[in-house]
Every structure is written in structure tokens, then in C-alpha cells.
Coordinates of all heavy atoms in Angstrom, one line a residue:
M1 N 39.6 -88.7 67.8 CA 40.5 -88.7 66.6 C 40.0 -89.3 65.4 O 39.3 -90.3 65.5 CB 41.9 -89.4 67.0 CG 42.6 -88.7 68.2 SD 44.3 -89.2 68.2 CE 44.3 -90.9 68.3
P2 N 40.1 -88.6 64.3 CA 39.7 -89.2 63.0 C 40.2 -90.6 62.7 O 41.4 -90.9 63.0 CB 40.1 -88.2 61.9 CG 40.3 -87.0 62.7 CD 40.8 -87.4 64.0
K3 N 39.4 -91.4 62.1 CA 39.9 -92.8 61.7 C 39.9 -92.9 60.3 O 39.1 -92.4 59.4 CB 38.8 -93.8 62.2 CG 38.6 -93.9 63.7 CD 37.6 -95.0 64.1 CE 37.5 -95.2 65.5 NZ 36.9 -94.1 66.2
V4 N 41.0 -93.6 59.8 CA 41.3 -94.0 58.4 C 41.0 -95.6 58.4 O 41.8 -96.3 58.9 CB 42.6 -93.6 57.9 CG1 42.9 -94.1 56.5 CG2 42.9 -92.2 58.1
T5 N 40.0 -95.9 57.6 CA 39.7 -97.3 57.3 C 40.1 -97.8 55.9 O 39.8 -97.1 55.0 CB 38.2 -97.6 57.6 OG1 37.8 -97.2 59.0 CG2 37.9 -99.1 57.5
F6 N 40.9 -98.9 55.9 CA 41.1 -99.4 54.6 C 40.0 -100.4 54.2 O 39.9 -101.4 55.0 CB 42.5 -100.2 54.7 CG 43.7 -99.2 54.8 CD1 44.1 -98.7 56.0 CD2 44.4 -98.9 53.7 CE1 45.1 -97.8 56.1 CE2 45.5 -98.1 53.8 CZ 45.9 -97.5 55.0
Q7 N 39.4 -100.1 53.2 CA 38.1 -100.9 52.9 C 38.4 -102.4 52.7 O 37.7 -103.2 53.1 CB 37.5 -100.3 51.6 CG 36.2 -101.1 51.3 CD 35.4 -100.5 50.1 OE1 36.0 -100.3 49.1 NE2 34.2 -100.3 50.3
Q8 N 39.5 -102.7 52.0 CA 39.7 -104.1 51.6 C 40.2 -104.9 52.8 O 39.7 -106.1 52.9 CB 40.8 -104.2 50.5 CG 40.8 -105.6 49.8 CD 41.4 -105.6 48.5 OE1 42.1 -104.6 48.2 NE2 41.2 -106.5 47.7
T9 N 41.0 -104.4 53.6 CA 41.5 -105.2 54.8 C 40.8 -105.0 56.1 O 41.0 -105.8 57.0 CB 43.1 -104.8 55.0 OG1 43.1 -103.5 55.3 CG2 43.8 -105.2 53.7
G10 N 40.2 -103.8 56.2 CA 39.5 -103.5 57.4 C 40.4 -102.9 58.4 O 39.9 -102.6 59.6
T11 N 41.6 -102.6 58.1 CA 42.6 -102.0 59.0 C 42.0 -100.6 59.3 O 41.6 -99.9 58.5 CB 44.0 -101.9 58.4 OG1 44.4 -103.2 58.1 CG2 44.9 -101.2 59.3
V12 N 42.1 -100.2 60.6 CA 41.7 -98.9 61.0 C 42.9 -98.2 61.7 O 43.5 -98.8 62.6 CB 40.5 -99.0 62.0 CG1 40.1 -97.6 62.5 CG2 39.3 -99.7 61.3
I13 N 43.2 -97.0 61.3 CA 44.3 -96.2 61.9 C 43.7 -94.8 62.3 O 42.9 -94.3 61.6 CB 45.4 -96.0 60.9 CG1 46.0 -97.4 60.6 CG2 46.4 -95.0 61.4 CD1 47.1 -97.3 59.5
E14 N 44.1 -94.5 63.6 CA 43.6 -93.2 64.1 C 44.8 -92.2 63.9 O 45.9 -92.4 64.3 CB 43.2 -93.3 65.6 CG 41.9 -94.0 65.7 CD 41.4 -93.9 67.2 OE1 42.3 -93.6 68.1 OE2 40.2 -94.2 67.4
L15 N 44.3 -91.0 63.5 CA 45.4 -89.9 63.3 C 44.8 -88.6 64.0 O 43.5 -88.5 64.2 CB 45.6 -89.5 61.9 CG 46.3 -90.5 61.0 CD1 46.4 -90.1 59.6 CD2 47.6 -90.9 61.6
E16 N 45.7 -87.8 64.5 CA 45.2 -86.5 65.1 C 44.4 -85.7 64.1 O 44.7 -85.7 62.9 CB 46.4 -85.7 65.6 CG 47.3 -86.3 66.6 CD 46.6 -86.3 68.0 OE1 45.7 -85.4 68.2 OE2 46.9 -87.2 68.8
N17 N 43.4 -85.0 64.5 CA 42.7 -84.1 63.7 C 43.6 -83.1 63.0 O 44.6 -82.6 63.7 CB 41.5 -83.3 64.5 CG 40.5 -82.8 63.6 OD1 40.3 -83.2 62.4 ND2 39.9 -81.7 64.0
N18 N 43.4 -82.8 61.8 CA 44.2 -81.9 61.0 C 45.6 -82.5 60.7 O 46.5 -81.7 60.4 CB 44.4 -80.5 61.7 CG 43.1 -79.8 61.8 OD1 42.3 -79.9 60.8 ND2 42.7 -79.1 62.8
S19 N 45.7 -83.7 60.7 CA 47.0 -84.4 60.4 C 47.1 -84.6 58.9 O 46.1 -84.9 58.2 CB 47.1 -85.8 61.1 OG 47.2 -85.7 62.4
P20 N 48.3 -84.5 58.3 CA 48.5 -84.9 57.0 C 48.3 -86.4 56.9 O 48.7 -87.2 57.8 CB 50.0 -84.6 56.6 CG 50.5 -83.8 57.8 CD 49.5 -84.0 58.9
L21 N 47.6 -86.9 55.8 CA 47.3 -88.4 55.7 C 48.7 -89.1 55.6 O 48.7 -90.3 56.0 CB 46.5 -88.5 54.5 CG 45.6 -89.8 54.3 CD1 45.0 -90.2 55.6 CD2 44.7 -89.7 53.2
I22 N 49.7 -88.5 55.2 CA 51.0 -89.1 55.1 C 51.5 -89.6 56.5 O 52.3 -90.5 56.6 CB 52.0 -88.2 54.4 CG1 53.2 -89.0 53.8 CG2 52.5 -87.1 55.3 CD1 54.0 -88.3 52.9
D23 N 50.9 -89.1 57.5 CA 51.3 -89.5 58.9 C 51.0 -90.9 59.2 O 51.5 -91.6 60.2 CB 50.6 -88.6 60.0 CG 51.3 -87.3 60.1 OD1 52.3 -87.0 59.4 OD2 50.8 -86.5 61.0
I24 N 50.2 -91.6 58.3 CA 49.9 -93.0 58.4 C 51.3 -93.8 58.4 O 51.4 -94.8 59.1 CB 49.1 -93.5 57.1 CG1 47.6 -93.2 57.6 CG2 49.3 -94.9 56.8 CD1 46.6 -93.7 56.4
E25 N 52.2 -93.3 57.7 CA 53.6 -93.9 57.7 C 54.1 -94.2 59.1 O 54.8 -95.1 59.4 CB 54.6 -93.1 56.9 CG 54.5 -93.3 55.4 CD 55.7 -92.8 54.7 OE1 56.2 -91.7 55.1 OE2 56.1 -93.5 53.8
D26 N 53.8 -93.2 60.0 CA 54.3 -93.3 61.4 C 53.7 -94.4 62.2 O 54.2 -94.8 63.2 CB 54.1 -91.9 62.1 CG 54.9 -90.8 61.5 OD1 55.8 -91.0 60.8 OD2 54.4 -89.6 61.7
Q27 N 52.6 -94.9 61.6 CA 51.8 -96.1 62.4 C 52.4 -97.5 61.9 O 51.8 -98.4 62.1 CB 50.3 -96.0 62.1 CG 49.7 -94.6 62.3 CD 49.7 -94.2 63.7 OE1 49.4 -95.1 64.6 NE2 50.0 -92.9 64.1
K28 N 53.5 -97.5 61.2 CA 54.1 -98.7 60.7 C 53.1 -99.4 59.8 O 53.1 -100.7 59.8 CB 54.4 -99.6 61.9 CG 55.3 -98.9 62.9 CD 56.8 -98.7 62.4 CE 57.7 -98.3 63.5 NZ 58.2 -96.9 63.2
N29 N 52.3 -98.7 59.1 CA 51.3 -99.4 58.2 C 51.9 -99.4 56.8 O 52.4 -98.3 56.4 CB 50.0 -98.6 58.2 CG 49.0 -99.1 57.2 OD1 49.1 -98.8 56.0 ND2 48.1 -99.9 57.6
N30 N 51.9 -100.5 56.1 CA 52.5 -100.5 54.8 C 51.4 -100.7 53.7 O 51.7 -101.1 52.6 CB 53.5 -101.6 54.6 CG 53.0 -103.0 55.0 OD1 51.8 -103.1 55.1 ND2 53.9 -104.0 55.1
E31 N 50.2 -100.5 54.1 CA 49.1 -100.7 53.1 C 48.9 -99.5 52.1 O 48.3 -99.6 51.1 CB 47.7 -100.9 53.8 CG 47.7 -102.2 54.6 CD 46.4 -102.4 55.3 OE1 45.3 -102.4 54.6 OE2 46.4 -102.5 56.6
L32 N 49.5 -98.4 52.5 CA 49.5 -97.2 51.7 C 50.9 -96.7 51.4 O 51.5 -96.0 52.2 CB 48.7 -96.1 52.4 CG 48.5 -94.7 51.7 CD1 48.0 -94.9 50.3 CD2 47.6 -93.9 52.5
P33 N 51.4 -97.0 50.2 CA 52.7 -96.6 49.8 C 52.9 -95.2 49.5 O 52.0 -94.6 48.9 CB 53.1 -97.5 48.7 CG 51.8 -97.8 48.0 CD 50.7 -97.8 49.1
F34 N 54.0 -94.6 49.8 CA 54.3 -93.2 49.4 C 55.7 -93.2 48.7 O 56.5 -94.0 49.0 CB 54.5 -92.3 50.6 CG 53.1 -92.1 51.3 CD1 52.7 -92.8 52.4 CD2 52.3 -91.1 50.8 CE1 51.5 -92.6 53.0 CE2 51.1 -90.8 51.4 CZ 50.6 -91.6 52.5
G35 N 55.8 -92.3 47.7 CA 57.1 -92.2 47.0 C 57.6 -90.8 47.2 O 58.2 -90.5 48.2
C36 N 57.3 -89.9 46.3 CA 57.9 -88.5 46.2 C 57.4 -87.7 47.4 O 58.0 -86.8 47.8 CB 57.5 -87.8 44.9 SG 55.8 -87.5 44.7
R37 N 56.3 -87.9 47.9 CA 55.5 -87.1 49.0 C 55.3 -85.6 48.5 O 55.1 -84.8 49.2 CB 56.3 -87.1 50.2 CG 56.5 -88.4 50.8 CD 57.6 -88.5 51.8 NE 57.7 -89.7 52.5 CZ 58.1 -90.9 52.0 NH1 58.6 -90.9 50.8 NH2 58.1 -92.0 52.7
N38 N 55.3 -85.4 47.1 CA 55.2 -84.1 46.6 C 54.4 -84.0 45.4 O 54.6 -83.1 44.5 CB 56.6 -83.6 46.3 CG 56.7 -82.2 46.2 OD1 55.9 -81.4 46.8 ND2 57.6 -81.7 45.4
A39 N 53.3 -84.8 45.2 CA 52.4 -84.7 44.0 C 53.1 -84.9 42.7 O 52.9 -84.2 41.7 CB 51.6 -83.5 44.1
A40 N 54.2 -85.8 42.7 CA 55.0 -85.9 41.5 C 55.1 -87.3 40.9 O 55.5 -87.5 39.8 CB 56.4 -85.4 41.7
C41 N 54.6 -88.4 41.7 CA 54.8 -89.7 41.2 C 53.5 -90.5 41.1 O 53.5 -91.5 40.3 CB 55.8 -90.4 42.1 SG 55.2 -90.9 43.8
G42 N 52.5 -90.3 42.0 CA 51.3 -91.0 41.9 C 51.2 -92.3 42.7 O 50.2 -93.0 42.7
T43 N 52.3 -92.6 43.4 CA 52.4 -93.8 44.2 C 51.3 -93.9 45.2 O 50.7 -94.9 45.5 CB 53.8 -93.9 44.9 OG1 54.8 -93.9 43.9 CG2 53.9 -95.2 45.7
C44 N 51.0 -92.7 45.8 CA 50.1 -92.7 46.9 C 48.6 -92.5 46.5 O 47.7 -92.2 47.3 CB 50.4 -91.6 47.9 SG 50.2 -89.9 47.0
A45 N 48.3 -92.8 45.2 CA 46.9 -92.7 44.7 C 45.9 -93.5 45.5 O 46.2 -94.7 45.8 CB 46.8 -92.9 43.3
I46 N 44.8 -92.9 45.9 CA 43.7 -93.7 46.6 C 42.4 -93.3 46.0 O 42.2 -92.3 45.5 CB 43.8 -93.4 48.1 CG1 43.6 -91.9 48.3 CG2 45.0 -93.8 48.9 CD1 43.3 -91.4 49.8
D47 N 41.5 -94.3 46.2 CA 40.0 -93.9 46.1 C 39.5 -93.7 47.5 O 39.7 -94.4 48.4 CB 39.3 -95.0 45.4 CG 39.3 -94.9 43.9 OD1 39.8 -93.9 43.4 OD2 38.9 -95.9 43.2
V48 N 38.8 -92.6 47.6 CA 38.1 -92.3 48.9 C 36.6 -92.8 48.8 O 35.9 -92.3 48.0 CB 38.1 -90.7 49.2 CG1 37.4 -90.5 50.5 CG2 39.5 -90.3 49.2
I49 N 36.4 -93.9 49.5 CA 35.1 -94.6 49.4 C 34.0 -93.8 50.2 O 32.9 -93.6 49.8 CB 35.2 -96.0 49.9 CG1 36.4 -96.7 49.3 CG2 33.9 -96.8 49.6 CD1 36.4 -96.8 47.7
Y50 N 34.4 -93.4 51.4 CA 33.6 -92.6 52.3 C 34.4 -91.4 52.9 O 35.5 -91.6 53.1 CB 32.9 -93.4 53.4 CG 32.2 -94.5 53.0 CD1 32.6 -95.8 53.2 CD2 30.9 -94.4 52.4 CE1 31.9 -96.9 52.8 CE2 30.2 -95.5 52.1 CZ 30.6 -96.8 52.2 OH 29.9 -97.8 51.8
G51 N 33.7 -90.3 53.1 CA 34.3 -89.2 53.8 C 35.2 -88.3 53.0 O 36.0 -87.5 53.7
M52 N 34.9 -88.1 51.8 CA 35.7 -87.1 51.0 C 35.7 -85.8 51.6 O 36.7 -85.0 51.5 CB 35.2 -87.1 49.5 CG 36.1 -86.1 48.5 SD 37.7 -86.7 48.3 CE 37.5 -87.8 46.9
E53 N 34.5 -85.4 52.2 CA 34.3 -84.1 52.8 C 35.2 -83.9 54.0 O 35.3 -82.7 54.5 CB 32.8 -83.9 53.2 CG 32.4 -84.7 54.3 CD 31.9 -86.1 53.9 OE1 32.2 -86.6 52.8 OE2 31.3 -86.9 54.8
N54 N 35.8 -85.0 54.5 CA 36.7 -84.9 55.6 C 38.2 -84.8 55.3 O 39.0 -84.8 56.1 CB 36.6 -86.1 56.5 CG 35.2 -86.1 57.2 OD1 34.6 -85.0 57.5 ND2 34.6 -87.3 57.4
L55 N 38.5 -84.4 54.0 CA 39.8 -84.1 53.5 C 39.8 -82.8 52.9 O 38.8 -82.3 52.4 CB 40.2 -85.2 52.4 CG 40.3 -86.6 52.8 CD1 40.5 -87.5 51.6 CD2 41.4 -86.8 53.8
T56 N 41.0 -82.1 53.0 CA 41.2 -80.8 52.3 C 40.9 -81.0 50.8 O 41.2 -82.1 50.3 CB 42.6 -80.3 52.6 OG1 43.5 -81.3 52.4 CG2 42.7 -79.7 53.9
P57 N 40.5 -79.9 50.1 CA 40.2 -80.1 48.7 C 41.5 -80.2 47.9 O 42.6 -80.0 48.4 CB 39.6 -78.7 48.3 CG 39.1 -78.1 49.6 CD 40.0 -78.7 50.7
K58 N 41.4 -80.8 46.7 CA 42.5 -81.0 45.8 C 43.2 -79.7 45.5 O 42.6 -78.7 45.3 CB 42.1 -81.6 44.5 CG 41.6 -83.0 44.6 CD 41.2 -83.5 43.2 CE 40.5 -84.9 43.3 NZ 39.9 -85.3 42.1
N59 N 44.5 -79.6 45.6 CA 45.3 -78.5 45.2 C 45.7 -78.6 43.7 O 45.4 -79.6 43.1 CB 46.5 -78.3 46.1 CG 47.5 -79.4 46.1 OD1 47.7 -80.0 45.0 ND2 48.1 -79.8 47.2
E60 N 46.3 -77.5 43.2 CA 46.6 -77.5 41.8 C 47.6 -78.6 41.3 O 47.4 -79.2 40.3 CB 47.2 -76.1 41.3 CG 46.1 -75.1 41.0 CD 46.7 -73.9 40.5 OE1 47.6 -74.0 39.6 OE2 46.2 -72.8 40.8
E61 N 48.6 -78.8 42.2 CA 49.6 -79.9 41.9 C 49.0 -81.3 41.8 O 49.3 -82.1 40.9 CB 50.7 -79.8 42.9 CG 51.6 -78.6 42.9 CD 51.0 -77.4 43.6 OE1 49.9 -77.6 44.3 OE2 51.5 -76.3 43.5
E62 N 48.0 -81.5 42.8 CA 47.4 -82.8 42.8 C 46.4 -83.0 41.6 O 46.5 -84.0 40.9 CB 46.5 -82.9 44.1 CG 45.8 -84.2 44.2 CD 45.1 -84.3 45.5 OE1 45.0 -83.4 46.3 OE2 44.4 -85.4 45.7
I63 N 45.7 -81.9 41.2 CA 44.8 -82.0 40.0 C 45.7 -82.2 38.7 O 45.4 -83.1 38.0 CB 44.0 -80.7 39.9 CG1 43.0 -80.6 41.0 CG2 43.3 -80.6 38.5 CD1 42.3 -79.3 41.2
D64 N 46.8 -81.5 38.7 CA 47.6 -81.7 37.5 C 48.2 -83.1 37.3 O 48.2 -83.6 36.2 CB 48.8 -80.6 37.6 CG 48.4 -79.2 37.3 OD1 47.2 -79.0 36.8 OD2 49.2 -78.3 37.6
L65 N 48.7 -83.6 38.4 CA 49.2 -85.0 38.3 C 48.2 -86.0 38.0 O 48.5 -86.9 37.2 CB 50.1 -85.4 39.6 CG 50.8 -86.7 39.5 CD1 51.9 -86.7 38.4 CD2 51.4 -87.2 40.7
L66 N 47.1 -85.9 38.7 CA 46.0 -86.9 38.4 C 45.5 -86.8 37.0 O 45.3 -87.8 36.3 CB 44.8 -86.6 39.4 CG 45.1 -87.0 40.8 CD1 44.0 -86.5 41.6 CD2 45.3 -88.5 41.0
N67 N 45.5 -85.6 36.4 CA 45.2 -85.5 35.0 C 46.2 -86.1 34.1 O 46.0 -86.8 33.1 CB 45.0 -84.1 34.6 CG 43.6 -83.5 35.1 OD1 42.7 -84.2 35.2 ND2 43.5 -82.2 35.4
I68 N 47.6 -85.8 34.4 CA 48.6 -86.4 33.6 C 48.7 -87.9 33.6 O 48.9 -88.6 32.6 CB 50.0 -85.9 34.1 CG1 50.1 -84.4 33.8 CG2 51.2 -86.6 33.6 CD1 51.3 -83.6 34.5
L69 N 48.3 -88.4 34.8 CA 48.3 -90.0 35.0 C 47.0 -90.6 34.5 O 46.8 -91.7 34.6 CB 48.6 -90.3 36.4 CG 49.9 -89.9 37.1 CD1 49.9 -90.2 38.5 CD2 51.0 -90.6 36.3
D70 N 46.1 -89.7 34.0 CA 44.8 -90.1 33.5 C 44.1 -90.9 34.7 O 43.5 -92.0 34.5 CB 44.9 -91.1 32.3 CG 43.6 -91.1 31.5 OD1 42.8 -90.2 31.8 OD2 43.4 -92.1 30.8
M71 N 44.2 -90.4 35.9 CA 43.6 -90.9 37.1 C 42.6 -90.0 37.8 O 42.3 -90.1 39.0 CB 44.7 -91.3 38.1 CG 45.7 -92.2 37.7 SD 47.0 -92.6 38.9 CE 46.1 -93.6 40.1
D72 N 42.1 -89.0 37.0 CA 41.2 -88.1 37.6 C 39.8 -88.8 37.9 O 39.6 -89.8 37.2 CB 41.0 -86.8 36.8 CG 40.6 -87.2 35.3 OD1 40.9 -88.3 34.9 OD2 40.1 -86.3 34.7
G73 N 39.0 -88.3 38.6 CA 37.8 -88.9 39.0 C 37.3 -88.3 40.4 O 38.2 -87.9 41.2
E74 N 36.1 -88.4 40.7 CA 35.6 -87.8 41.9 C 36.2 -88.5 43.1 O 36.4 -87.7 44.1 CB 34.1 -88.0 42.0 CG 33.3 -87.0 41.1 CD 31.7 -87.2 41.2 OE1 31.3 -87.6 42.3 OE2 31.1 -86.9 40.3
K75 N 36.4 -89.8 43.1 CA 36.9 -90.4 44.3 C 38.5 -90.4 44.5 O 38.9 -90.7 45.5 CB 36.5 -91.9 44.3 CG 35.0 -92.2 44.3 CD 34.8 -93.7 44.4 CE 33.4 -94.1 44.4 NZ 33.3 -95.5 44.2
R76 N 39.1 -90.1 43.4 CA 40.6 -90.3 43.4 C 41.3 -89.1 44.1 O 41.0 -88.0 43.7 CB 41.1 -90.5 41.9 CG 42.5 -90.9 41.7 CD 42.7 -92.4 42.2 NE 41.6 -93.3 41.7 CZ 41.6 -93.9 40.6 NH1 42.4 -93.8 39.7 NH2 40.6 -94.8 40.4
R77 N 42.3 -89.5 44.9 CA 43.1 -88.4 45.5 C 44.6 -88.9 45.6 O 44.9 -90.1 45.5 CB 42.6 -88.2 47.0 CG 41.2 -87.6 47.1 CD 41.1 -86.2 46.5 NE 42.1 -85.3 47.0 CZ 41.9 -84.4 48.0 NH1 40.7 -84.4 48.6 NH2 42.9 -83.6 48.3
L78 N 45.4 -88.0 45.9 CA 46.8 -88.3 46.2 C 46.9 -88.1 47.7 O 46.8 -87.0 48.2 CB 47.8 -87.4 45.5 CG 47.8 -87.5 44.0 CD1 48.7 -86.4 43.4 CD2 48.2 -88.8 43.5
A79 N 47.2 -89.2 48.5 CA 47.2 -89.2 49.8 C 48.2 -88.2 50.4 O 48.0 -87.6 51.5 CB 47.4 -90.6 50.4
C80 N 49.3 -88.1 49.7 CA 50.4 -87.1 50.2 C 50.0 -85.7 50.2 O 50.7 -84.9 50.8 CB 51.7 -87.4 49.5 SG 51.6 -86.7 47.8
Q81 N 48.8 -85.4 49.6 CA 48.4 -84.0 49.5 C 47.2 -83.8 50.4 O 46.7 -82.6 50.5 CB 48.0 -83.6 48.1 CG 49.2 -83.8 47.1 CD 50.4 -82.9 47.5 OE1 50.2 -81.6 47.5 NE2 51.5 -83.5 47.9
C82 N 46.6 -84.7 51.2 CA 45.5 -84.6 51.9 C 45.7 -84.4 53.4 O 46.6 -85.0 54.0 CB 44.7 -86.0 51.8 SG 44.2 -86.4 50.2
I83 N 44.9 -83.4 54.0 CA 44.9 -83.2 55.4 C 43.5 -83.7 56.0 O 42.5 -83.5 55.4 CB 44.9 -81.7 55.8 CG1 46.2 -81.0 55.1 CG2 44.9 -81.5 57.3 CD1 47.5 -81.5 55.7
L84 N 43.6 -84.5 57.1 CA 42.4 -85.2 57.5 C 41.7 -84.4 58.6 O 42.2 -83.9 59.5 CB 42.9 -86.5 58.2 CG 42.0 -87.6 58.6 CD1 41.1 -88.2 57.4 CD2 42.7 -88.7 59.4
H85 N 40.3 -84.3 58.4 CA 39.5 -83.6 59.3 C 38.4 -84.5 59.9 O 37.6 -84.0 60.8 CB 38.8 -82.4 58.6 CG 39.7 -81.4 58.1 ND1 40.6 -80.7 58.8 CD2 40.0 -81.0 56.8 CE1 41.3 -79.9 58.1 NE2 41.0 -80.1 56.8
G86 N 38.4 -85.7 59.5 CA 37.3 -86.6 60.1 C 37.5 -88.0 59.4 O 38.5 -88.2 58.8
D87 N 36.5 -88.9 59.8 CA 36.7 -90.3 59.4 C 36.6 -90.4 57.8 O 35.8 -89.8 57.2 CB 35.6 -91.2 60.0 CG 35.7 -91.2 61.5 OD1 36.7 -90.7 62.1 OD2 34.7 -91.7 62.1
I88 N 37.4 -91.3 57.4 CA 37.5 -91.7 55.9 C 37.6 -93.2 55.8 O 38.2 -93.9 56.6 CB 38.5 -90.9 55.1 CG1 39.9 -91.2 55.6 CG2 38.3 -89.5 55.1 CD1 41.0 -90.7 54.6
T89 N 37.1 -93.7 54.6 CA 37.4 -95.1 54.2 C 38.0 -95.0 52.8 O 37.6 -94.2 52.0 CB 36.1 -95.9 54.1 OG1 35.5 -95.9 55.3 CG2 36.4 -97.3 53.6
I90 N 39.2 -95.7 52.7 CA 40.0 -95.5 51.5 C 40.4 -96.9 50.9 O 40.3 -97.9 51.6 CB 41.3 -94.7 51.7 CG1 42.2 -95.5 52.7 CG2 41.0 -93.3 52.2 CD1 43.6 -94.8 52.8
E91 N 40.7 -96.8 49.6 CA 41.3 -98.0 48.9 C 42.5 -97.6 48.1 O 42.4 -96.8 47.2 CB 40.2 -98.6 47.9 CG 40.5 -99.9 47.3 CD 40.7 -101.0 48.4 OE1 39.8 -101.1 49.2 OE2 41.7 -101.7 48.3
P92 N 43.6 -98.0 48.5 CA 44.9 -97.7 47.8 C 44.9 -98.2 46.4 O 44.4 -99.3 46.2 CB 46.1 -98.3 48.6 CG 45.5 -98.5 50.0 CD 44.0 -98.8 49.7
M93 N 45.4 -97.5 45.4 CA 45.4 -97.9 44.0 C 46.7 -98.7 43.7 O 46.8 -99.3 42.7 CB 45.3 -96.7 43.1 CG 44.1 -95.8 43.3 SD 42.5 -96.7 43.4 CE 42.5 -97.4 41.8
N94 N 47.7 -98.5 44.5 CA 49.0 -99.3 44.2 C 49.3 -100.3 45.4 O 48.9 -100.2 46.4 CB 50.2 -98.2 44.1 CG 50.0 -97.4 42.9 OD1 49.9 -97.8 41.8 ND2 49.9 -96.1 43.1
Ligands
FES1 S1 53.8 -89.8 47.1 FE1 54.2 -89.2 45.1 S2 52.4 -88.3 44.5 FE2 52.0 -88.8 46.6

């Protein structure tokens, strides 16, 4: 199963392959906050330190909000829009 590692704390969470990253909520982990769950608020913004290739590409809604929030960048993602295909290391922005 793919692992999600929080860079700052070292917490490691395993999710099923092809799981939405938002499933982290089911693991009782509060290191990655979610708000709207719909690419509208930016609460779930993360930097992907390793493993960007193991997430689905950005969709239009994600790109639009990151631009509006002036949070665009190669590493920046909205966790609520990502599907996990392999190991990643992340750093939450909020
Ligand atoms: S939870 Fe609001 S943008 Fe992801």
C-alpha cells in the first residue's frame, strides 16, 4: 500500500492504492486539514516533497484555485483533488 509521509513530523500513513488523499481523514490524522473538499478554499494545500509522479495530475479546478490564491508552483497541490498511486512525502501549508 502507498505510504504518505509527513516530512516535518515523520508520521507515516498507509492508504489503499488509487485512494483519494482525503482518505487520510479516516486515519484520525489531524496533520492535514480539509475544508470544502472541492477545490474552493485552499485549506488542504500541501507541498509534495517527494513522489509528485505518484499523484494524479492537477485538474482545472485545482489549477484555478492555486492561481487565485497565488499558491501555484511545481510542488504545490490541493490534497482534496489528489489520487494516490505510490509513496509520497508532503508538507501541509496550513
Ligand atoms: S479542502 Fe478546500 S480546497 Fe481542498
Side-chain angles (χ1 to χ4, degrees):
M1 294 201 303
K3 295 181 177 70
V4 179
T5 302
F6 289 81
Q7 186 178 44
Q8 195 160 20
T9 62
T11 300
V12 178
I13 294 175
E14 288 187 341
L15 296 177
E16 295 289 336
N17 196 29
N18 295 320
S19 292
L21 200 45
I22 202 167
D23 281 1
I24 275 183
E25 281 196 318
D26 297 339
Q27 309 292 321
K28 308 283 188 246
N29 175 280
N30 60 6
E31 294 179 59
L32 178 51
F34 291 93
C36 68
R37 298 161 173 77
N38 196 30
C41 71
T43 302
C44 67
I46 57 173
D47 272 348
V48 180
I49 311 302
Y50 301 109
M52 184 67 88
E53 69 278 9
N54 292 326
L55 296 172
T56 47
K58 291 176 185 172
N59 59 37
E60 274 189 41
E61 292 79 11
E62 182 178 2
I63 291 168
D64 287 348
L65 183 63
L66 289 172
N67 283 333
I68 289 168
L69 297 175
D70 200 21
M71 294 178 79
D72 54 336
E74 281 182 28
K75 294 183 186 175
R76 191 69 41 88
R77 296 298 306 267
L78 297 175
C80 70
Q81 300 300 297
C82 296
I83 306 291
L84 187 66
H85 300 300
D87 295 350
I88 59 172
T89 298
I90 62 172
E91 189 62 50
M93 304 309 298
N94 292 302

